[in-house]
Amino acid sequence: MDEKLKIKISIADRVYPLTVDFSQEEGLRSASKKIDAMIKQFEENYAVRDKQDVLAMCALQFASQVEQKHIDNAINGDETIERLNKINTILDQYLEN
């Protein structure tokens, strides 16, 4: 049976009560801290008056990081396949001789 845990997460000075799997708690708390740190950084570096603007910038930052990882993984995956094909060709040539 999956254990559910009731926690409260604070983001941008607002508290959000959540019911989560026990295994998700640490990740959610860590994400909350990263969001708050990013909010502070944006508020210090830019003249932002509205919390929603800061939250939108945070969402964009995190989403772009995820997308970039997908792009990087796709590129690395293509490179890996290309290398494996080259190795396979070399092995085929070696085995034919």
Side-chain angles (χ1 to χ4, degrees):
M1 183 166 89
D2 290 332
E3 287 188 48
K4 295 289 184 179
L5 186 63
K6 291 186 179 191
I7 63 172
K8 292 180 181 179
I9 296 291
S10 175
I11 298 173
D13 301 324
R14 290 182 112 176
V15 176
Y16 298 92
L18 301 171
T19 301
V20 300
D21 290 334
F22 183 76
S23 62
Q24 294 177 307
E25 180 188 13
E26 184 178 352
L28 287 168
R29 291 194 188 279
S30 176
S32 170
K33 287 178 184 176
K34 287 181 181 180
I35 292 168
D36 279 336
M38 191 176 288
I39 287 170
K40 184 178 178 183
Q41 182 182 17
F42 280 130
E43 287 177 334
E44 289 173 356
N45 294 326
Y46 302 100
V48 181
R49 295 187 185 124
D50 188 1
K51 281 281 190 201
Q52 180 148 355
D53 291 338
V54 176
L55 289 170
M57 293 166 65
C58 288
L60 178 61
Q61 183 79 14
F62 282 116
S64 68
Q65 290 171 357
V66 169
E67 288 303 314
Q68 189 61 49
K69 285 183 183 178
H70 285 303
I71 291 167
D72 292 345
N73 287 340
I75 291 170
N76 290 340
D78 291 342
E79 289 175 8
T80 301
I81 290 171
E82 185 177 328
R83 288 179 184 164
L84 288 172
N85 285 334
K86 286 180 182 179
I87 291 170
N88 195 32
T89 301
I90 292 169
L91 287 173
D92 283 343
Q93 290 172 352
Y94 178 78
L95 292 174
E96 288 175 0
N97 291 334

